[in-house]
Amino acid sequence: MIQIANLGLNILNLGIGIYNIVQIHKVKNKLDQNQNQLQLISDKLDQNQEQIQSQFDKLERDKEQIQLCFKSIQSALSAQHRTLEVLVCNQYNVTQQMNILREEMLTGFQNIVEEIKDVEARRRREEFETRTFKLLKTYERFSYILPELLEADQLIERAEDLEAWIRTQLNRIDIGKPERLPLLVALSFSVRAKADAFEAKGGDYTTFANKDISLLINQLHDEAYAFCEGRSLYTLGVEMPEILYQYALLNRSICRGNHLKSQVDSEVIFSAEEVIWDDGMQELRELFKPNIEHVEFLSGNQDIKLNTLADYDWYTRFANEDQLTFSVHSRPSIKLADILRKIGHPEPQTGGIGKTKLNTLMTFALPEQINNISHLIQSEFELEISPRLLEGVNK
């Protein structure tokens, strides 16, 4: 998650920095004009010179930060090349693929956990690398020589070339599939690059920039909905939490960039804490983390006794029973496997949890909790309707 967070944040920081450089250049030109007109008024002239120096200092700071952004973006894009290769290969199932990626994330993708022998997956990764590298280098040159616009048209061409290739790849993969994530990350990068070139050129080009960013945001929202639709809490929160989390960070970064550009003196450099997202499922993930401490373990085939009124209140909500007609004597216990199945555990009969975590599991298994997570996702991505999360078997 950190790799994609860095990319989302650096796309945000890069966009703000380039926007600031262009705006500062415009302000500096205006101040230079003012200076010529104010030569006979010494007080105002001194003030004007101070403003010019202040804007120049900010320009230099922004350029330094932009160069740092590019280094982080290059590293994060490399992570996406590997992510695409692992997710599109036929060598492993989704759970194994995500475990490989998690292990490699811990080393910043410096170590290869498993060699991918799928020739097509390797070919797609290499083509992905080549196309993103070309755009990255053009983008870097463009930012370095700002406010001159010698590379603006070349940047637009490179960005549109990458975008066209990515959209072709996306058309081959059903919407909502996890392997679309690295492609959508790169798409965000290409659209941001093109928008920066448009905004630097100014005039009517800014309309194209705003339109492209708005379309990208809508596409991320649609992708998040499709990814969540028909999946269980276990899949979203335990098996593949990185996918949805990364969509959220990318979406927040791009949306925030749009908002901050309406503020004249927006500073570059935002931290992960400023766009972090709580998916509401951290406690669910904790249930299934390996625990080295000695705790009593409950397996899926064990009976969970229903003894108190609170137990039966929970059960009627869990099973959608009518509390007025339900007989407490009809259900003295429930199998843990039934609770695990409700959240979408892939192996409820053989799965299990620590006994001290039972109450947390029971809470997540309630329909209202599943609905709460669904509405949280709806709110985060500004969806018209909330995604339908499955209670049980995944799609």
Side-chain angles (χ1 to χ4, degrees):
M1 287 189 284
I2 296 303
Q3 289 291 334
I4 199 75
N6 283 343
L7 182 57
L9 285 169
N10 281 288
I11 288 175
L12 162 64
N13 289 331
L14 188 58
I16 295 296
I18 288 175
Y19 179 81
N20 281 344
I21 287 175
V22 174
Q23 296 306 311
I24 288 170
H25 180 60
K26 292 177 181 177
V27 172
K28 183 178 181 296
N29 285 343
K30 186 175 180 180
L31 291 172
D32 287 341
Q33 293 172 6
N34 291 343
Q35 185 170 353
N36 293 332
Q37 297 170 5
L38 296 173
Q39 288 182 356
L40 300 178
I41 310 174
S42 60
D43 290 343
K44 290 186 178 180
L45 178 58
D46 290 342
Q47 181 183 6
N48 204 56
Q49 288 175 328
E50 290 176 5
Q51 290 176 325
I52 291 175
Q53 186 60 46
S54 174
Q55 296 295 334
F56 179 78
D57 291 343
K58 190 174 190 302
L59 179 66
E60 292 303 307
R61 290 199 308 273
D62 284 348
K63 282 193 170 184
E64 289 176 5
Q65 298 298 347
I66 282 174
Q67 295 311 307
L68 292 176
C69 287
F70 274 113
K71 291 180 181 178
S72 296
I73 286 175
Q74 186 167 6
S75 173
L77 282 173
S78 296
Q80 294 314 306
H81 302 150
R82 173 62 174 172
T83 299
L84 178 68
E85 181 183 30
V86 173
L87 291 180
V88 301
C89 80
N90 296 315
Q91 231 170 293
Y92 309 100
N93 61 36
V94 172
T95 300
Q96 291 171 320
Q97 290 168 339
M98 294 305 299
N99 287 337
I100 290 170
L101 291 174
R102 286 189 193 108
E103 286 189 56
E104 294 186 4
M105 281 181 190
L106 293 176
T107 66
F109 287 84
Q110 297 301 309
N111 297 329
I112 300 299
V113 173
E114 296 287 346
E115 180 185 356
I116 302 301
K117 299 178 181 178
D118 187 321
V119 175
E120 175 61 15
R122 186 181 302 113
R123 184 196 67 77
R124 290 171 69 177
R125 185 206 70 204
E126 290 171 350
E127 186 173 5
F128 192 21
E129 284 177 336
T130 300
R131 291 177 180 272
T132 54
F133 177 81
K134 289 179 179 178
L135 175 58
L136 183 65
K137 289 305 175 185
T138 306
Y139 203 177
E140 194 169 6
R141 289 196 304 271
F142 164 78
S143 67
Y144 186 79
I145 64 175
L146 279 173
E148 300 298 329
L149 301 179
L150 301 177
E151 291 281 344
D153 290 335
Q154 176 74 1
L155 179 57
I156 293 170
E157 182 179 346
R158 289 287 193 205
E160 289 182 338
D161 179 67
L162 177 59
E163 182 180 348
W165 180 83
I166 290 171
R167 293 196 183 281
T168 300
Q169 303 305 308
L170 288 172
N171 288 337
R172 298 173 179 171
I173 308 170
D174 292 339
I175 187 171
K177 294 289 186 181
E179 56 263 40
R180 288 169 62 94
L181 171 67
L183 294 170
L184 284 158
V185 171
L187 178 65
S188 300
F189 180 54
S190 66
V191 170
R192 178 69 268 167
K194 182 171 63 170
D196 284 340
F198 281 150
E199 288 171 345
K201 287 169 74 73
D204 292 339
Y205 284 101
T206 58
T207 302
F208 294 112
N210 294 333
K211 180 181 178 181
D212 285 349
I213 292 296
S214 296
L215 289 174
L216 173 62
I217 291 171
N218 289 337
Q219 184 167 3
L220 289 174
H221 292 177
D222 292 343
E223 194 69 38
Y225 175 85
F227 175 72
C228 296
E229 178 74 5
R231 296 192 191 274
S232 68
L233 283 193
Y234 188 88
T235 295
L236 295 179
V238 180
E239 287 185 319
M240 295 190 291
E242 294 86 354
I243 305 294
L244 183 60
Y245 183 75
Q246 291 167 356
Y247 279 134
L249 287 180
L250 199 57
N251 175 63
R252 285 190 170 202
S253 296
I254 293 169
C255 289
R256 181 156 190 180
N258 257 9
H259 171 70
L260 289 173
K261 285 185 179 181
S262 64
Q263 303 174 22
V264 178
D265 292 324
S266 299
E267 289 288 343
V268 191
I269 297 305
F270 297 90
S271 65
E273 288 72 21
E274 294 180 84
V275 291
I276 196 169
W277 180 54
D278 180 3
D279 65 0
M281 293 183 278
Q282 181 58 35
E283 289 186 336
L284 180 65
R285 285 188 282 279
E286 294 293 333
L287 296 181
F288 300 99
K289 281 186 176 180
N291 196 330
I292 60 174
E293 296 179 6
H294 178 70
V295 296
E296 186 177 351
F297 187 79
L298 298 176
S299 61
N301 61 1
Q302 286 187 256
D303 290 319
I304 306 301
K305 300 294 185 183
L306 303 176
N307 297 318
T308 67
L309 290 177
D311 292 339
Y312 283 107
D313 175 67
W314 170 85
Y315 179 78
T316 55
R317 291 152 60 202
F318 169 84
N320 198 27
E321 295 277 1
D322 187 335
Q323 289 186 331
L324 297 178
T325 59
F326 178 74
S327 171
V328 296
H329 302 293
S330 66
R331 174 64 78 166
S333 65
I334 181 175
K335 292 286 186 182
L336 180 66
D338 293 335
I339 306 176
L340 291 172
R341 188 176 293 109
K342 193 68 171 282
I343 65 167
H345 194 289
E347 298 177 340
Q349 297 294 338
T350 57
I353 59 167
K355 185 175 182 179
T356 58
K357 300 176 179 179
L358 178 60
N359 287 339
T360 301
L361 174 64
M362 292 170 71
T363 298
F364 274 102
L366 290 173
E368 58 258 40
Q369 183 65 13
I370 297 173
N371 287 335
N372 287 341
I373 300 296
S374 177
H375 289 306
L376 189 153
I377 294 168
Q378 179 186 13
S379 175
E380 177 61 28
F381 293 97
E382 300 180 358
L383 305 173
E384 292 185 5
I385 58 174
S386 58
R388 180 179 56 90
L389 305 186
L390 285 192
E391 299 177 16
V393 181
N394 264 314
K395 65 179 180 181

